[in-house]
């Protein structure tokens, strides 16, 4: 199995994509699949690859030479595409100080080209995958090159982690990207007069997955499909929604070394973490303490927070925010802290250790996203008994059982689910949160339910293995 992606924990990360790509190899090893991960050799990764074996090379890889180096990192079998003219530069994986790299189409076309070539012909050590698994638009051209150049027995999968990012390029690059001109039409590569690497993958991959069953259905609707809903609807028979999982060793309140450990059986110890969190942010909160650990963007519904917070604070609630993003939303969060001293604390930036302290100390985690392909934050909340308050969309709807008279009577509720994702919906959800928190017996039952919810990779890995086996024959 060859996995091709633009980022992977622990090597390079900008978002949840990296967590998934990094977790899949170990999860699938238990299902009998040997997975190697192909990544660009960004400047930050090149030094670590010194002495690695060279297993593939091309003299002209979209403007310069390239080679694939193979090595091991933290138990992962890693392949790095070393093409200095494309990847050896300061800045992030996709952008520099001046914004997106203008040659991003060529950079990730090179990644797809190398992946398809390896899938077709194998590596210098004799290894050849049965299935090529590409991730998001950065890997989207790999299935296209595989299809158009002759795939042989190798089949391909494309996983859509977030359809909002589509890898657009002008039509004039068709030849430079080595794509067949006869495929430039609306049924194949053409996308609103240009090209989209994501669409190229969607129309050529043998199978398509996305990261939750609900998101798979949502993508066929205009409000979620971002212009690609028709393409996805046409391939509905090849689409599968498979939930992401989380690393339950890293995210475990029983073994987490950065907190006061506790379990579903020792929930009273969670209060010690709350006290420590309040002290760290100078808060005194009589009611439920909510947390937000998120990119501060409209997609995440962060703009809904200021309107819903006054009533929540008046009812006894408090809030701790950890994140970074839109400067206007960062300012709005700081404004809440200034307006409600002692009840709202804010830290702009991201701190992995502090995020664990928030999940351990918070009573509820707010995830009011307008769309959420899968989401990991609510799963961390479940693990730590920090009840998710989520919008009814994507993976949020698939992982949280909303507290209702029926689910409370059945003893299965694990959080609060609300719709629509607007200020009123969030305000009513917070009112519901305050009421549930006041009933300490019910609240403790919800916490225990949440902590027992399976959120690891076992079920998801088995689903991927079944998909691969069906493709490989």
């Amino acid at each position: 199995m060859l996995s091709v992606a633009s980022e992977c924990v622990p090597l390079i990360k900008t978002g949840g994509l990296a967590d998934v790509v990094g977790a899949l190899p170990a999860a699938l090893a238990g299902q009998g699949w040997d997975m190697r991960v192909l990544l660009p050799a960004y400047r930050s990764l090149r030094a670590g690859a010194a002495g690695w074996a060279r297993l593939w090379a091309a003299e002209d890889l979209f403007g310069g030479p390239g080679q694939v180096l193979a090595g091991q990192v933290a138990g992962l079998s890693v392949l790095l595409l070393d093409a200095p003219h494309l990847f050896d530069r300061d800045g992030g994986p996709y952008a520099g100080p001046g914004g997106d790299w203008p040659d991003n189409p060529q950079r990730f076309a090179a990644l797809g080209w190398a992946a398809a070539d390896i899938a077709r012909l194998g590596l210098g050590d004799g290894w050849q995958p049965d299935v090529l698994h590409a991730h998001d638009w950065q890997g989207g051209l790999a299935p296209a090159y595989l299809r158009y150049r002759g795939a042989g027995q190798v089949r391909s999968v494309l996983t859509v982690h977030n359809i909002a990012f589509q890898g657009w390029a002008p039509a004039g690059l068709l030849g430079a990207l080595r794509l067949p001109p006869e495929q430039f039409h609306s049924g194949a590569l053409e996308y609103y007069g240009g090209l989209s690497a994501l669409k190229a993958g969607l129309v050529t991959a043998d199978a398509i997955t996305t990261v939750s069953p609900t998101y798979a259905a949502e993508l066929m609707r205009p409000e979620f499909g971002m212009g690609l809903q028709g393409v996805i609807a046409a391939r509905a028979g090849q689409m599968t929604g498979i939930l992401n999982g989380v690393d339950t060793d890293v995210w475990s309140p029983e073994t987490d070394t950065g907190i006061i450990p506790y379990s579903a059986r020792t929930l009273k110890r969670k209060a010690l973490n709350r006290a420590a969190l309040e002290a760290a942010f100078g808060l005194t909160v009589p009611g439920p303490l909510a947390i937000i650990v998120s990119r501060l963007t409209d997609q995440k519904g962060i703009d809904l927070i200021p309107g819903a917070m006054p009533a929540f604070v008046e009812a006894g609630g408090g809030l701790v925010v950890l994140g970074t993003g839109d400067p206007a939303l960062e300012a709005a969060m700081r404004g809440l802290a200034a307006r409600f001293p002692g009840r709202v604390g804010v830290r702009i930036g991201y701190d992995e250790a502090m995020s664990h302290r928030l999940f351990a100390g918070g009573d509820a985690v707010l995830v009011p996203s307008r769309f959420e392909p899968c989401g990991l934050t609510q799963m961390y909340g479940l693990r730590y008994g920090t009840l998710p308050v989520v919008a009814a969309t994507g993976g949020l709807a698939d992982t949280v059982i909303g507290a209702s008279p029926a689910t409370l009577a059945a003893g299965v509720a694990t959080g609060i689910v609300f719709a629509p994702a607007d200020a009123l919906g969030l305000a009513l959800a917070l009112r519901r949160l305050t009421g549930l928190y006041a009933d300490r017996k019910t609240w403790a039952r919800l916490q225990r339910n949440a902590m027992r919810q399976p959120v690891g990779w076992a079920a998801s890995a088995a689903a991927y293995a079944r998909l691969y086996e069906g493709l490989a024959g």
Side-chain angles (χ1 to χ4, degrees):
M1 165 67 57
L2 176 64
S3 177
V4 54
S6 57
E7 50 188 89
C8 173
V9 165
L11 291 161
I12 181 77
K13 175 179 176 177
T14 69
L17 166 66
D19 293 303
V20 176
V21 174
L24 271 176
L28 285 163
Q31 301 288 330
W33 284 88
D34 169 30
M35 176 177 279
R36 300 192 188 188
V37 181
L38 176 66
L39 300 165
Y42 304 113
R43 176 168 289 178
S44 60
L45 304 183
R46 293 189 78 216
W52 285 17
R54 172 180 164 176
L55 298 182
W56 180 92
E59 291 185 7
D60 180 12
L61 191 65
F62 297 89
Q67 59 181 349
V68 168
L69 307 174
Q72 295 282 323
V73 177
L76 290 173
S77 293
V78 178
L79 303 172
L80 288 182
L81 177 59
D82 184 26
H85 63 291
L86 298 173
F87 304 116
D88 186 16
R89 56 185 72 171
D90 290 329
Y94 318 119
D100 287 351
W101 299 115
D103 61 344
N104 272 345
Q106 291 89 340
R107 296 172 76 230
F108 294 102
L111 183 68
W113 184 270
D117 210 55
I118 291 168
R120 291 172 59 245
L121 304 174
L123 287 171
D125 62 356
W127 181 85
Q128 185 175 12
D130 296 309
V131 179
L132 184 156
H133 189 163
H135 298 270
D136 265 352
W137 75 264
Q138 296 92 344
L141 287 178
Y145 291 136
L146 193 60
R147 172 69 59 86
Y148 296 141
R149 299 178 67 208
Q153 299 300 309
V154 180
R155 297 293 177 260
S156 63
V157 180
L158 175 70
T159 294
V160 179
H161 296 264
N162 190 338
I163 205 166
F165 304 100
Q166 301 180 355
W168 189 87
L173 287 181
L174 184 72
L177 297 180
R178 304 177 186 175
L179 293 166
E182 66 273 13
Q183 296 297 328
F184 188 72
H185 56 83
S186 60
L189 297 175
E190 188 272 333
Y191 185 62
Y192 295 99
L195 298 165
S196 161
L198 185 60
K199 184 189 177 185
L202 289 171
V203 299
T204 56
D206 295 295
I208 303 166
T209 74
T210 191
V211 290
S212 71
T214 294
Y215 192 56
E218 287 175 341
L219 288 179
M220 300 181 202
R221 298 180 178 276
E223 60 267 36
F224 294 101
M226 306 282 183
L228 285 167
Q229 61 273 7
V231 176
I232 291 173
R235 303 217 63 201
Q238 288 75 45
M239 170 73 88
T240 307
I242 302 175
L243 275 170
N244 288 337
V246 302
D247 188 328
T248 54
D249 291 329
V250 172
W251 293 95
S252 169
E254 297 182 61
T255 59
D256 194 326
T257 58
I259 67 168
I260 300 166
Y262 62 95
S263 69
R265 295 178 180 176
T266 59
L267 265 174
K268 290 183 179 179
R269 291 176 60 82
K270 184 172 170 61
L272 301 175
N273 289 287
R274 170 169 160 158
L277 185 61
E278 287 185 279
F281 283 84
L283 305 181
T284 303
V285 180
L289 178 60
I291 65 167
I292 293 173
V293 181
S294 176
R295 286 186 293 112
L296 304 181
T297 66
D298 286 350
Q299 180 220 316
K300 298 292 186 180
I302 304 302
D303 57 308
L304 306 178
I305 300 298
M309 201 47 52
F312 181 57
V313 170
E314 184 177 350
L319 177 69
V320 178
V321 178
L322 174 65
T324 184
D326 185 330
L329 293 176
E330 291 180 357
M333 295 302 102
R334 290 192 182 100
L336 284 175
R339 183 178 176 185
F340 301 111
R343 299 292 284 279
V344 177
V346 174
R347 180 169 297 183
I348 300 301
Y350 188 72
D351 181 326
E352 184 77 10
M354 178 57 71
S355 72
H356 283 247
R357 294 176 63 188
L358 262 68
F359 281 106
D363 297 306
V365 56
L366 309 185
V367 195
S369 303
R370 288 183 167 84
F371 68 93
E372 193 66 66
C374 179
L376 301 178
T377 303
Q378 81 280 9
M379 298 189 200
Y380 302 149
L382 292 169
R383 285 286 287 168
Y384 283 69
T386 303
L387 300 189
V389 178
V390 305
T393 186
L396 304 178
D398 289 333
T399 51
V400 181
I401 302 172
S404 69
T407 60
L408 288 170
V412 297
T414 61
I416 295 170
V417 181
F418 69 92
D422 58 19
L424 177 59
L426 177 58
L428 293 175
L430 291 176
R431 183 186 301 176
R432 178 74 165 143
L433 169 63
T434 304
L436 288 168
Y437 182 80
D439 183 343
R440 303 308 298 163
K441 185 176 180 181
T442 297
W443 186 261
R445 187 183 310 121
L446 289 168
Q447 287 181 300
R448 287 192 291 270
N449 289 347
M451 296 177 76
R452 292 167 181 154
Q453 188 80 0
V455 295
W457 274 102
S460 302
Y464 275 116
R466 288 192 297 271
L467 176 66
Y468 299 153
E469 288 161 6
L471 291 172

